[in-house]
Amino acid sequence: MSEAVSRWGKVCAVIKDAERAASRPSDGVTLVAVSKTYDAEAIWPVIEAGQRVFGENRVQEAMGKWPVLRERLAAHTKEALELHLIGPLQSNKAKEAVATFDVIESVDRDKIAGALAKEMAKQDRHLPCTVQVNTGMEPQKAGIAPDDTAGFVARCREVHGLNVQGLMCIPPLEGDPAAHFALLARLADETDLPVRSMGMSGDYEIAIAHDATHVRVGSAIFGQRGT
Ligand SMILES: *Cc1c(COP(=O)(O)O)cnc(C)c1O
């Protein structure tokens, strides 16, 4: 068994335990396995072991490995892979993003929302989206300010016609992530959105205690990234 597969098994078990500890139904949390920087050969064993939902943060990088992996899986089973874009998107990459991904998690400004909507119409691929919220109000980080979230979600739906399913956040590196998870959950409640994508390798158990529906876990499965 590859090391990644045994770590993946452990992460799945930790998720189950965290669901139980939070008195949440099992299967309430979707694991998005973040495979950025790892190549198709490193990812394949985890797909073979049963993982179906993956996250990548770069369009170009994803285009280079996922068509091959999708084909390889299709030779074994009809089960589909679900690929999430979790990184910042440039509007000139909207076409490739819509063609390559199944879910866009990082919608964070009108220009991107408009470019995505246009491409989705063109390609007749109406992908579910989440809006990225900058819960820590960090100047270097992407995302809508918490106070602007409800207005932006409404514009994404009504002006751009996007299928917005939820919110995602990346808390500041320093400090306690719990307050950020609680804020994202409250904003999702207020906007009546079911999806809360929050929690990474270091804090996904805490995120599950705060009602995460999707946790994005990379290094705890694939190992520390080189950069
Ligand atoms: C890389 C990344 C992750 C996964 O981070 P790990 O700490 O390796 O689990 C999650 N979300 C986003 C947006 C990322 O870019």
Side-chain angles (χ1 to χ4, degrees), residues 34 36 86 168 170 200-201 216-219 225:
V34 177
K36 63 190 186 196
I86 60 173
M168 79 88 104
I170 310 169
M200 321 204 304
S201 291
R216 308 178 309 268
V217 179
S219 48
R225 290 175 294 272

Side-chain angles (χ1 to χ4, degrees), residues 103-105 107 116 120 127-131 162-167:
V103 176
I104 310 287
E105 293 209 22
V107 180
L116 286 169
M120 288 183 197
L127 311 182
C129 299
T130 65
V131 164
L162 286 182
N163 173 13
V164 181
Q165 288 288 318
L167 304 178

Side-chain angles (χ1 to χ4, degrees), residues 3-4 7-8 11 32-38 200-202 204 216-226:
E3 263 183 71
R7 283 191 295 248
W8 169 78
V11 168
V32 181
V34 177
S35 48
K36 63 190 186 196
T37 77
Y38 286 91
M200 321 204 304
S201 291
Y204 64 99
R216 308 178 309 268
V217 179
S219 48
I221 297 170
F222 292 101
Q224 283 303 326
R225 290 175 294 272

Side-chain angles (χ1 to χ4, degrees), residues 47 99-100 173:
I47 297 175
T100 306
L173 269 176

